[in-house]
Structures are given as C-alpha cells and as structure tokens.
Amino acid sequence: MVGKDLQRVVFLSVVEAPWEDTHNQIRLAALRAEREHELQRYQSLARGHGLAAEYEIALDADVARGLEALALQVAARYPNAVFVAGQVVFQRPSVTTRFLHNEIAFSLQRRLLPRGSNMIILPVRLPHEVWPANAPE
C-alpha cells in the first residue's frame, strides 16, 4: 500500500550527449530509445503499485545540468515535489568510482536546494558480481 502523501512518481533521465555525438543523430536516437525503454519499465512498475507515474528524458552534454532543467520543470508542475537519487555504494570505492558514479547526485542536490527543491540521496548497493574483476579500485 502506497502512503497517501506519495501521489505521483516522475522518473527523470538525461542521456549524455557529448558535443561530438550531436552530429551522430542515429547513435543519439538509439541511446534515447534505449533509455526510454528503461524508463517505461520503471513507469509500469510504479503504476503496478497504484501510483500515477510519468517520465521525462533529455539529451545534454552535462548530465547534472540536464537533470537540473528537468527537475525544475517538474517542480514547476508539482510544487511539493521531493527528488530522490541513488548513490552507488562500492565494496572498494576509489576516486574514479566516486566521481563517475556519485558526484552527479550531489551536484544536483547542491543545485536544487537553493531553489527550494528537496532531494534525498539513497544508497544503492549492487551485487559484487555486477562489477567486472578489472573494475577500477
């Protein structure tokens, strides 16, 4: 049973589109379609639990900037929105893994808080077998 305060879930995602890729429209369209497929799965899962659910997707060279723009659009539609992001927890974190996988959530939080939008960052623990043996340490 979903709490009465949680009425809607909006999944946000930004496909990183570096400048050089903007000229490769076929590749960008494929990346966007793949991400949209993932978001539709999340949307279906949320709806299966009785939540109104939708998603927003964008292409941007700066993922944090793109997420900020999407979040501000959502906050304009839903003024009491609370944003949730995941922080991947590694068994053996390194500077590289922290920067590549976790800095976006904290960057977005720093951008949204001064604008009056609340954001919660939750730990995401992945099974050890997800990471290859040669993953950065």
Side-chain angles (χ1 to χ4, degrees):
M1 178 108 209
V2 176
K4 66 177 183 162
D5 292 332
L6 183 60
Q7 299 172 5
R8 176 176 311 275
V9 176
V10 182
F11 298 98
L12 306 180
S13 187
V14 172
V15 175
E16 186 174 13
W19 181 84
E20 60 272 5
D21 285 345
T22 58
H23 299 291
N24 189 344
Q25 296 302 315
I26 294 170
R27 182 170 184 269
L28 285 177
L31 288 171
R32 182 184 173 96
E34 182 181 319
R35 186 69 53 86
E36 202 155 4
H37 178 72
E38 293 171 10
L39 291 169
Q40 288 168 351
R41 286 183 24 224
Y42 296 143
Q43 181 182 39
S44 294
L45 180 65
R47 287 180 175 173
H49 286 283
L51 291 169
E54 58 190 89
Y55 64 87
E56 299 285 340
I57 188 170
L59 300 171
D60 202 309
D62 180 337
V63 174
R65 180 183 62 206
L67 285 169
E68 176 185 15
L70 288 177
L72 293 175
Q73 290 171 17
V74 169
R77 287 196 319 260
Y78 307 109
N80 294 323
V82 174
F83 297 94
V84 179
Q87 174 190 11
V88 179
V89 177
F90 294 92
Q91 257 186 332
R92 294 176 305 235
S94 70
V95 172
T96 305
T97 56
R98 278 192 297 268
F99 178 75
L100 292 176
H101 297 283
N102 291 327
E103 189 54 34
I104 290 173
F106 293 111
S107 175
L108 183 58
Q109 186 179 51
R110 284 190 301 272
R111 293 170 184 227
L112 293 178
L113 286 174
R115 292 189 155 101
S117 293
N118 293 316
M119 184 170 164
I120 300 166
I121 300 174
L122 299 174
V124 176
R125 297 185 201 302
L126 299 177
H128 181 67
E129 60 272 6
V130 169
W131 301 105
N134 60 352
E137 298 200 19

